[in-house]
Every structure is written in C-alpha cells, then in structure tokens.
Amino acid sequence: MKAVFAELIGTFWLVLGGCGSAVLAAAFPQLGIGLLGVSLAFGLTVLTMAFAIGHISGCHLNPAVSIGLWAGGRFETRRLLPYIAAQVIGGALAGGVLYLIASGKPGFTVGGFASNGFGEHSPGGYAMGAALLCEVVMTAMFLFIIMGATDKRAPQGFAPIAIGLALTLIHLISIPVTNTSVNPARSTGVALFAEPWALQQLWAFWVAPIVGGILGGAVYRALSRD
C-alpha cells in the first residue's frame, strides 16, 4: 500500500506540474514559458519524483510504464491494477486542483485544458493516424530508455536524469502532434475537466501509449537477454 500511495502522489505531481505549466504558464503575458518550458516541466516532474519515490514504488507514474515494465519482465502481474488505479486517481486529483486554481482567474474558460487530441484538436492539426503512430513510437522509446537506464548493468544513480530528459525530449518532439500524452493517467486527469471532445478522444491516449509501452518493454527484454 505504501508503493500504491507513492504512485498516487507521484502521478499527482506529474499532472499538476506538467499540465499546470501548460495551463497556467505556457502563454502567460510577456513571461510565458512556451513549448520548451512545458517540455522541461514534464521532465522535471519525473526527475524529482524518481529521486523522491523511486526507492518506494519504482516511480512509474504512468499505466503505460507499468504495463511496459510488466511486458519487459520487470513488474508483477498482481501489482498492475493497484498501480494503474492509483495513477489514474492521482492524475484526476491533480486535474481537479489545477481546475480550481485556473478558474480563479477572471474570464477563465476551460478550453482544451492541456488535453491530448488529434484532428482539429491536435495543436498542429495532425490526423488520427499520425497521432496514434506518434504516441506508439514515443511511448515505446520511453520504455526502452527506462528499461535500459534502470538495468542493473547500467551506471547506478543516473536513471532519474536519463528518464527525465527522455520525457523532456519526447515533449519537444510531439507536443505539436498530440500535445503529448505517452501517459493515459496524464490524459485522463485533465480530460475529465476539459471540453467534451477530450473525453471523446481519450481512448486514443490509452490505446496508443499502452501498445507502445508493451513494444518498448518487450524489445528491450529481447535485446538484453544473455
């Protein structure tokens, strides 16, 4: 239960920090942090929480990561559902807190609320096929990096840095395509409070990251066998 609660807190921080930077700070008048700042914010949430709770829960913060680590032989089947439930609850709590903060500004309109989307709801207008492919590939690479960085043969103590930087890079590449999910809990947490289209398209940001996570975990497992 300590590990499950740690996952809830960690995912809360990821959604609040990453999506909060997008909703509150990305386009702030004159001092907006922009795409680069949002990308860095997501990376920093993982980096900081990996040091904070990595020794308690492994710091997955993401159903696709938990499933990908399971596919890679690094996570027990019996722990999947409790971890995923905690991650989704943590993301939803963060979405609620962020909504309460954002709605305190005069003239607030919810809009997309940092949700992920494709077609007319993609930041760059990318079609569904391109969005799905992007999410599958980005999540697969994320899992590959996580598996490699946490391998017992890798340099010890540096995994949080590699994983945080990987998530930053993923956002730099894919924010224009889908607003970057690679994490169903992150997508769900803000979609619950956004305009109706966010929930209508949410399926894509469960299916594609999970497929990518399984691919990344399985490929690394195959390559790392002695």
Side-chain angles (χ1 to χ4, degrees), residues 88-139:
V88 172
I89 292 169
L93 289 174
V97 169
L98 180 57
Y99 180 84
L100 291 174
I101 294 170
S103 62
K105 180 181 178 180
F108 168 76
T109 55
V110 68
F113 203 58
S115 294
N116 304 111
F118 53 81
E120 64 178 312
H121 302 297
S122 158
Y126 287 82
M128 181 179 68
L132 291 172
L133 177 61
C134 183
E135 288 290 326
V136 168
V137 172
M138 294 299 161
T139 314

Side-chain angles (χ1 to χ4, degrees), residues 36-50:
L36 178 60
V38 173
S39 300
L40 186 59
F42 272 100
L44 287 173
T45 61
V46 171
L47 173 63
T48 52
M49 270 298 156

Side-chain angles (χ1 to χ4, degrees), residues 2-222:
K2 289 180 180 179
V4 169
F5 191 59
E7 284 295 303
L8 188 154
I9 294 172
T11 311
F12 174 90
W13 182 236
L14 183 145
V15 174
L16 185 64
C19 296
S21 71
V23 171
L24 304 175
F28 189 78
Q30 300 178 349
L31 296 174
I33 61 174
L35 186 153
L36 178 60
V38 173
S39 300
L40 186 59
F42 272 100
L44 287 173
T45 61
V46 171
L47 173 63
T48 52
M49 270 298 156
F51 281 115
I53 66 169
H55 55 286
I56 300 173
S57 69
C59 192
H60 298 185
L61 317 185
N62 182 340
V65 169
S66 296
I67 293 170
L69 290 172
W70 167 80
R74 299 270 192 91
F75 197 58
E76 300 170 294
T77 303
R78 65 182 179 85
R79 301 176 73 184
L80 271 177
L81 286 180
Y83 263 51
I84 291 170
Q87 291 155 0
V88 172
I89 292 169
L93 289 174
V97 169
L98 180 57
Y99 180 84
L100 291 174
I101 294 170
S103 62
K105 180 181 178 180
F108 168 76
T109 55
V110 68
F113 203 58
S115 294
N116 304 111
F118 53 81
E120 64 178 312
H121 302 297
S122 158
Y126 287 82
M128 181 179 68
L132 291 172
L133 177 61
C134 183
E135 288 290 326
V136 168
V137 172
M138 294 299 161
T139 314
M141 293 307 303
F142 192 37
L143 261 294
F144 191 87
I145 292 165
I146 290 170
M147 293 278 289
T150 56
D151 195 305
K152 62 183 179 181
R153 296 166 292 184
Q156 298 300 299
F158 295 99
I161 298 172
I163 295 166
L165 289 175
L167 190 60
T168 299
L169 177 58
I170 286 167
H171 279 78
L172 287 172
I173 296 167
S174 59
I175 284 178
V177 183
T178 62
N179 215 21
T180 310
S181 171
V182 303
N183 183 340
R186 168 261 188 268
S187 298
T188 304
V190 288
L192 292 171
F193 300 91
E195 293 179 344
W197 65 261
L199 283 176
Q200 292 166 6
Q201 295 193 351
L202 183 60
W203 65 269
F205 304 102
W206 274 86
V207 172
I210 287 174
V211 170
I214 292 171
L215 287 173
V219 168
Y220 187 86
R221 184 179 189 179

